[in-house]
Amino acid sequence: VTGVDIPPLDEAAMTAAYQRQLTLTKPAGALGKLEGLSVWLAGVQGACPPRPLTRRRLVLFAGDHGVARLGVSAYPAEVTAQMVANFRAGGAACTVLARNADVGVRVVDVSVGRPSGAISVEPAVTPDEARHWYDEGVRLADEEVDNGADVLIAGDMGIGNSTVAAALVCAVTGAEPHETVGRGTGIDDAGWARKVAVVRDALRRVRHASDLDGIELLSELGGADVAAMTGFLVGAATRRTPVVLDGVVSGAAALVASKIAPTAVPYFCAGHRSTEPAHRRALEALGLEPLLDLSLRLGEGTGALLALPLLDAAVAVIREMATFESAGVSDRPS
Amino acid sequence: VTGVDIPPLDEAAMTAAYQRQLTLTKPAGALGKLEGLSVWLAGVQGACPPRPLTRRRLVLFAGDHGVARLGVSAYPAEVTAQMVANFRAGGAACTVLARNADVGVRVVDVSVGRPSGAISVEPAVTPDEARHWYDEGVRLADEEVDNGADVLIAGDMGIGNSTVAAALVCAVTGAEPHETVGRGTGIDDAGWARKVAVVRDALRRVRHASDLDGIELLSELGGADVAAMTGFLVGAATRRTPVVLDGVVSGAAALVASKIAPTAVPYFCAGHRSTEPAHRRALEALGLEPLLDLSLRLGEGTGALLALPLLDAAVAVIREMATFESAGVSDRPS
């Protein structure tokens, strides 16, 4: 992947937002991370105050994974397709939370029923396929932004996808499989051991994973759906559109995105920290502090959807609060 | 205070909510604390699924404190009255966040410009006054619930109030002043030392603070506004109405409430954990886990307002999600 041209955040807008926060009727910094969010959004949008987030979109990347047949999940692989139907019917957690947060949902069937290869024994997809799906993800981000989206969330659905996410996090950060593999959908000790073994086998098969570029990583250890999600994240940043990251799968995709386009990362905000150890590792490597820490481990974009009202609140505060001067409130003696 | 009769949470509704969560199309427990919130609301309301929170109210308790003249705050005492005007004009952080979260606001001038005594040298108010304001708080909660409120937030405004809150937390938990006193509105090292000295002097003056009952604590170390807030919290619980706690002042009031009516505590949920050390102590003593941890230190109910969308999300999930059976999704093999 070459020619990814992502501008830095707008420093002037960020400085203006920071200065504006100092004039509002509250002690400087008293709204903590909420103030930081307003400064970040100003930088992403290149505007102070930042504009309200009026067209909010969740794009769900659904795909199956060959590792699902190796006993790494508490659920059978057919659940991926069943859940896609549940998304379309509006009965899943992500669709309920999206309605609740006024977010439009788009479901992209990347590879449901056409599993990417089992990474412990074979590449997930060919490099050409990885590149194809990456480009498709970029195109989807472009389409969403062209249609007016001003904040994007990438959701995941795919039995086995937290296993490939752990493998990608190991490959990029150098962490060991037992440090990254979690309970996913709720596997028991034996399932956890199988999942660790799958990740270890995958890393052994690939060998010099740390030398691979982003597309090679997606090909060897990712899959079609993760490739599409990675392209989507880079595409959103290219269009200077804020992304709220969700859990371990979008965290792993963001890590790969950071290899392809390090300048994309400033456009990402971490919606939450899940219980998956690989997610914690991914956020640390990305240098992102999560907004929420609610012991979520569902994916589908749910953690990002729950964090979105905090972005709205940050925008409301910086846009609507009175200043010390306008409200006639005494500022602290300087 | 006698005759406070607060029923326990409805165990049957909580069990039903817990069981219902197990049938929804997600791995058991995958929505973490959000599932716990839905179970809690079911218990508070005595209904499964819990009802949406349609009439949401922030009641702001404003009052001045004699300690403000002792250099414990970065702001002068007149800011209390100025901020009350700012609340009424809708320009303060709490009023902006209340609009954003669809919460109605009521400002109660408890003792603005009529400061409670400086607790380092004298009682804050007489026991009769403490009792009067406590009863007034109970009455306010009754009035709000009679008018249809189904979730309540108690906000604070008062220069110097984080000093009295720290003193109350020391008195109830046995913590030392230097372990509880924080930077409040943003005082420097010298201000912090003065604040610690004020709390230490107050505890020395009162001596056996741990032997005092709730009303005596409010009289010696609290103030009219904190007394009213404490009554409001107990009143809300008496009416089986959920309360989202905010920062250190509502945390201190909740601690005193727990002395007056230990059975009120199950009706409280901790909206966030602020940067004030006394707040952390208060939440630990109450056994409450905060929903948010955003380095807030503003008060006014802001942290509780930011947490409210999580309660809405919890209700939406348990009410609207499809079940494995209704959606035709394979549950994990049992």
Side-chain angles (χ1 to χ4, degrees):
Chain A
V1 182
T2 56
V4 179
D5 185 19
I6 301 172
L9 300 191
D10 185 324
E11 287 281 348
M14 293 176 84
T15 302
Y18 178 80
Q19 295 290 346
R20 185 180 172 112
Q21 284 285 0
L22 295 179
T23 69
L24 304 176
T25 47
K26 57 179 174 50
L31 281 175
K33 289 187 184 173
L34 207 69
E35 299 188 20
L37 269 182
S38 74
V39 171
W40 172 69
L41 281 167
V44 169
Q45 295 183 355
C48 177
R51 295 178 294 276
L53 304 172
T54 52
R55 189 170 159 88
R56 317 130 78 83
R57 295 284 287 170
L58 165 66
V59 178
L60 285 154
F61 295 88
D64 274 308
H65 293 268
V67 295
R69 67 172 183 269
L70 304 178
V72 297
S73 175
Y75 291 83
E78 72 248 28
V79 164
T80 304
Q82 293 166 345
M83 284 302 295
V84 165
N86 197 20
F87 294 163
R88 296 199 161 121
C94 64
T95 44
V96 169
L97 292 174
R99 272 201 302 278
N100 193 58
D102 193 25
V103 174
V105 178
R106 175 176 190 166
V107 185
V108 181
D109 174 352
V110 175
S111 53
V112 179
R114 302 173 300 283
S116 300
I119 60 171
S120 49
V121 296
E122 62 190 329
V125 289
T126 68
D128 279 355
E129 287 169 322
R131 177 63 204 234
H132 165 80
W133 284 109
Y134 175 89
D135 288 343
E136 179 65 10
V138 172
R139 195 189 63 71
L140 285 162
D142 272 330
E143 202 170 284
E144 289 295 335
V145 177
D146 287 342
N147 287 333
D150 48 21
V151 62
L152 292 173
I153 295 170
D156 67 282
M157 181 67 229
I159 299 301
N161 68 10
S162 72
T163 304
V164 306
L168 287 168
V169 171
C170 287
V172 177
T173 67
E176 295 293 325
H178 71 271
E179 296 171 322
T180 61
V181 167
R183 299 290 172 149
T185 45
I187 46 173
D188 59 15
D189 289 353
W192 183 83
R194 283 193 298 273
K195 196 168 163 181
V196 170
V198 164
V199 173
R200 184 176 297 131
D201 289 349
L203 294 166
R204 276 195 192 132
R205 182 182 61 72
V206 175
R207 298 191 182 214
H208 305 291
S210 60
D211 296 341
L212 302 185
D213 69 22
I215 294 295
E216 289 167 338
L217 280 170
L218 294 168
S219 157
E220 289 289 357
L221 299 172
D225 52 349
V226 183
M229 187 186 278
T230 303
F232 183 80
L233 298 178
V234 174
T238 306
R239 296 296 298 272
R240 305 190 62 171
T241 301
V243 174
V244 187
L245 297 177
D246 184 35
V248 69
V249 178
S250 74
L255 261 189
V256 178
S258 75
K259 289 207 71 154
I260 294 172
T263 52
V265 177
Y267 290 84
F268 305 157
C269 122
H272 80 118
R273 177 163 49 215
S274 82
T275 58
E276 288 290 293
H279 191 214
R280 177 184 293 266
R281 295 265 172 175
L283 294 180
E284 285 169 3
L286 289 163
L288 296 174
E289 279 265 349
L291 291 170
L292 300 175
D293 194 348
L294 297 172
S295 300
L296 309 175
R297 51 180 173 82
L298 180 53
E300 302 180 4
T302 50
L305 291 164
L306 289 169
L308 200 52
L310 295 174
L311 274 68
D312 298 329
V315 171
V317 159
I318 197 170
R319 291 183 68 90
E320 298 174 30
M321 269 186 75
T323 64
F324 283 103
E325 195 175 346
S326 72
V329 173
S330 307
D331 201 352
R332 55 195 297 176
S334 54
Chain B
V1 181
T2 54
V4 179
D5 185 19
I6 301 171
L9 300 190
D10 186 324
E11 287 281 347
M14 293 176 83
T15 301
Y18 178 81
Q19 295 291 345
R20 185 179 172 111
Q21 285 285 0
L22 295 178
T23 69
L24 304 177
T25 47
K26 57 179 175 47
L31 282 175
K33 289 187 184 174
L34 207 68
E35 298 188 21
L37 269 181
S38 75
V39 172
W40 172 69
L41 281 167
V44 170
Q45 296 183 355
C48 177
R51 295 177 296 276
L53 304 172
T54 53
R55 188 169 161 90
R56 315 130 80 82
R57 295 285 288 171
L58 165 65
V59 177
L60 285 154
F61 295 87
D64 274 308
H65 294 268
V67 295
R69 66 172 184 270
L70 304 177
V72 297
S73 175
Y75 290 83
E78 72 247 29
V79 164
T80 305
Q82 293 166 345
M83 285 302 296
V84 165
N86 197 19
F87 293 162
R88 295 198 162 122
C94 64
T95 45
V96 168
L97 292 174
R99 272 200 301 278
N100 193 59
D102 194 25
V103 173
V105 179
R106 175 177 191 166
V107 185
V108 181
D109 175 352
V110 175
S111 53
V112 179
R114 302 172 302 283
S116 300
I119 60 171
S120 49
V121 296
E122 61 189 328
V125 289
T126 67
D128 279 355
E129 288 169 322
R131 177 64 204 234
H132 165 80
W133 284 110
Y134 174 90
D135 288 343
E136 179 65 10
V138 173
R139 196 189 62 73
L140 285 162
D142 273 331
E143 202 170 285
E144 289 295 335
V145 177
D146 286 342
N147 288 331
D150 47 22
V151 61
L152 292 173
I153 295 170
D156 67 282
M157 181 69 229
I159 299 300
N161 68 10
S162 72
T163 304
V164 305
L168 287 168
V169 171
C170 287
V172 177
T173 67
E176 295 293 325
H178 70 271
E179 296 172 321
T180 60
V181 166
R183 299 290 172 148
T185 47
I187 46 172
D188 59 16
D189 288 354
W192 183 82
R194 283 193 297 274
K195 196 167 163 181
V196 170
V198 164
V199 173
R200 185 175 297 129
D201 289 351
L203 293 167
R204 276 197 192 129
R205 183 182 61 72
V206 174
R207 294 188 186 219
H208 304 292
S210 60
D211 295 341
L212 302 185
D213 69 21
I215 294 294
E216 289 167 337
L217 280 170
L218 294 168
S219 158
E220 289 289 355
L221 298 172
D225 51 349
V226 183
M229 188 186 279
T230 303
F232 183 79
L233 298 178
V234 175
T238 306
R239 298 295 299 272
R240 305 190 63 171
T241 302
V243 174
V244 187
L245 297 177
D246 184 36
V248 68
V249 178
S250 74
L255 262 190
V256 178
S258 75
K259 288 207 70 152
I260 294 172
T263 51
V265 177
Y267 291 83
F268 305 157
C269 122
H272 80 118
R273 175 163 49 214
S274 82
T275 59
E276 289 290 294
H279 191 215
R280 178 183 294 266
R281 295 265 171 175
L283 293 180
E284 284 169 3
L286 290 163
L288 296 174
E289 279 265 349
L291 291 170
L292 300 175
D293 193 349
L294 297 172
S295 299
L296 309 175
R297 51 179 172 82
L298 180 53
E300 302 180 4
T302 51
L305 291 164
L306 288 169
L308 200 51
L310 294 174
L311 274 67
D312 298 328
V315 172
V317 160
I318 196 170
R319 290 182 69 88
E320 299 175 29
M321 269 186 75
T323 64
F324 284 101
E325 195 176 346
S326 73
V329 173
S330 308
D331 201 352
R332 55 194 300 176
S334 54

